[in-house]
Amino acid sequence: MKITAADVVVTSPGRNFVTLRITTEDGLTGLGDATLNGRELAVEAYLREHVAPLLLGRDAHAVEDTWQYLYRGAYWRRGPVTMAAVAAVDMALWDIKGKAAGMPVYQLLGGACRTGALAYGHASGRDIPELLDSVREHLADGFRAVRIQSGIPGLDSVYGVAASAAGDGDRYDYEPARRTGTAHPRPTEETWDTRAYLRHMPTVFEAVRHTFGPELPLLHDGHHRMTPIQAARLGKDLEPYDLFWLEDATPGEDQGALRLIREHTTTPLAIGEVFNSVHDYTTLLQERLIDYVRSAVTHTGGITAVRKLLDMAAVYGVKSGMHGPTDISPVGMAAALHLDLAVHNFGIQEYMRHAPDTLEVFRTSYRFEEGLLHPGDAAGLGVELDDAAAARFPYEPAYLPVNRLRDGTVHDW
């Protein structure tokens, strides 16, 4: 079954998405997510100019061979742009394979290991009372696990807090990458104070545990903002509140930092949403420095690559916790859910509902019920793209914020 076309669609229904559509000589189509938050056009160009021409005439069923062809044959390996492009091709081919077989992708991966994937939502507030209200809203919506993010006294805007003004008066609900509406857009700049953050967060979790009890799984994202010793302190300070995990405590490129954190705290650790290859994890897995793998299928080479990564993680007792907010398109979310259902070492799935405009462009079959996500039983990935709807939402430049310390130094976020 030969590939006859590979087209790239860029659309912005609330935020920017890059989607690859592969078409075969039999008329089957498959979709892949290639969205790279704030750098979407780099992946679009990579796909359109370098990858799509290589796909024409190839066997659409040769998923593994095509993955290796694109990864090894280009000489330049890894990196977020390359791996997002490879991921899009891989997802689209799995989508086609599922449609050709008349089966959902998770069945082709070995079948379901569970009835659904436990999902966590994003509860946040500018202050503790607003945060507690957000947790209540998520519980009312059916979530059985929540990520806890809070505003910090003295800071006007904090990334990850939905009600926080994002430097331009907008909220952080659906578009962490900010649109400036100017001819020459620049990232929003936010002030950050790590010491204030470290003082405040234990009081936040004390309030949440006091209100909601010991059973509710609570997660927290540090957004790479701490040094190793600061992260070790926070992990230890949060031990009484029994976190499900502390995520991205330090910058991901310094894997050795996790050794120091691990020595000082028993709080479970998660990292990897900025990783794009199994090679980013080898030290962390072999030395058991983390408890959860946070990679996104979209940014780590697709279903083929992430399945291998999770198989390796399983050897060391490490579970999945795949990245899944709205910078992953519904296509990428569907791909993650098929893996969630099929892998044995599933841990939890991040889930942030897409905006109504996004769900008008991407028609999905996955569902959220009683705190669990399921990809649905449609053949393939279970997502279709409405071209007419996509055309109504042209690309708009948008960038993630830049953090600066109070002295003006650019800081990790």
Side-chain angles (χ1 to χ4, degrees):
M1 186 167 58
K2 302 298 184 184
I3 296 171
T4 57
D7 303 304
V8 186
V9 178
V10 179
T11 184
S12 189
R15 65 174 310 132
N16 294 315
F17 297 109
V18 180
T19 307
L20 176 69
R21 179 194 284 117
I22 293 178
T23 305
T24 72
E25 60 187 349
D26 296 341
L28 292 178
T29 61
L31 299 179
D33 180 22
T35 305
L36 188 61
N37 199 1
R39 294 294 185 268
E40 296 88 357
L41 298 186
V43 189
E44 180 206 16
Y46 192 96
L47 279 170
R48 191 186 307 278
E49 298 174 15
H50 301 290
V51 174
L54 303 179
L55 298 175
L56 302 182
R58 291 188 63 83
D59 181 2
H61 281 310
V63 180
E64 176 72 25
D65 184 67
T66 298
W67 195 96
Q68 300 294 343
Y69 176 75
L70 295 176
Y71 179 78
R72 299 178 187 275
Y75 183 83
W76 304 108
R77 302 180 185 180
R78 305 170 64 187
V81 173
T82 294
M83 296 308 284
V86 172
V89 175
D90 187 75
M91 285 184 226
L93 294 183
W94 276 106
D95 193 17
I96 289 170
K97 189 176 285 290
K99 290 174 180 176
M103 302 173 71
V105 167
Y106 75 83
Q107 293 289 11
L108 304 181
L109 298 173
C113 287
R114 55 195 51 82
T115 57
L118 178 65
Y120 72 89
H122 290 190
S124 66
R126 289 167 292 187
D127 53 30
I128 290 176
E130 190 172 78
L131 168 62
L132 298 180
D133 285 342
S134 179
V135 175
R136 293 185 185 98
E137 291 170 4
H138 280 76
L139 296 179
D141 285 343
F143 283 97
R144 291 159 31 185
V146 289
R147 190 185 80 168
I148 300 298
Q149 306 295 131
S150 173
I152 309 300
L155 301 182
D156 293 333
S157 179
V158 176
Y159 178 81
V161 176
S164 175
D168 54 6
D170 290 337
R171 287 165 56 97
Y172 267 133
D173 292 10
Y174 289 106
E175 182 61 282
R178 306 311 307 163
R179 304 166 188 258
T180 62
T182 63
H184 303 287
R186 296 286 187 274
T188 299
E189 296 192 7
E190 300 177 353
T191 301
W192 179 249
D193 187 329
T194 307
R195 293 184 65 199
Y197 163 76
L198 293 174
R199 290 193 302 269
H200 186 59
M201 290 314 299
T203 68
V204 170
F205 278 90
E206 181 180 26
V208 173
R209 276 285 177 234
H210 177 76
T211 304
F212 298 101
E215 298 300 326
L216 179 64
L218 302 179
L219 305 87
H220 179 64
D221 190 346
H223 290 120
H224 313 277
R225 287 167 167 159
M226 289 169 276
T227 65
I229 198 65
Q230 290 170 339
R233 169 189 160 183
L234 181 64
K236 193 167 188 64
D237 287 348
L238 295 180
E239 284 178 10
Y241 311 111
D242 188 25
L243 269 64
F244 188 96
W245 77 37
L246 173 61
E247 174 189 348
D248 287 346
T250 56
E253 54 265 39
D254 182 6
Q255 296 192 7
L258 276 296
R259 294 192 188 98
L260 189 149
I261 302 170
R262 198 61 137 181
E263 290 171 358
H264 288 83
T265 181
T266 59
T267 296
L269 301 174
I271 201 166
E273 72 178 64
V274 298
F275 293 171
N276 48 74
S277 166
V278 65
H279 301 290
D280 295 315
Y281 285 99
T282 51
T283 298
L284 302 180
L285 295 177
Q286 291 169 355
E287 297 187 25
R288 293 178 170 85
L289 300 180
I290 60 172
D291 302 280
Y292 296 92
V293 165
R294 286 282 293 131
S295 276
V297 180
T298 300
H299 303 141
T300 317
I303 292 170
T304 296
V306 176
R307 177 61 185 266
K308 293 176 181 178
L309 165 60
L310 294 180
D311 285 344
M312 180 180 178
V315 173
Y316 299 97
V318 175
K319 295 185 177 183
S320 70
M322 281 183 276
H323 183 67
T326 55
D327 64 353
I328 303 299
S329 88
V331 179
M333 174 57 71
L337 296 182
H338 285 276
L339 271 173
D340 289 338
L341 218 60
V343 298
H344 180 262
N345 57 324
F346 169 78
I348 201 167
Q349 174 63 56
E350 183 175 19
Y351 178 50
M352 188 177 182
R353 287 187 174 94
H354 284 98
D357 286 346
T358 298
L359 297 178
E360 183 181 349
V361 172
F362 297 93
R363 310 293 174 82
T364 66
S365 67
Y366 59 77
R367 59 184 184 269
F368 176 69
E369 297 173 350
E370 298 181 350
L372 303 179
L373 284 161
H374 193 286
D377 290 309
L381 292 176
V383 181
E384 298 299 331
L385 177 68
D386 186 321
D387 288 291
R392 295 202 303 271
F393 301 102
Y395 169 81
E396 296 183 45
Y399 295 96
L400 289 163
V402 172
N403 278 313
R404 290 188 183 274
L405 302 178
R406 293 187 187 276
D407 67 359
T409 303
V410 174
H411 190 57
D412 286 299
W413 68 273

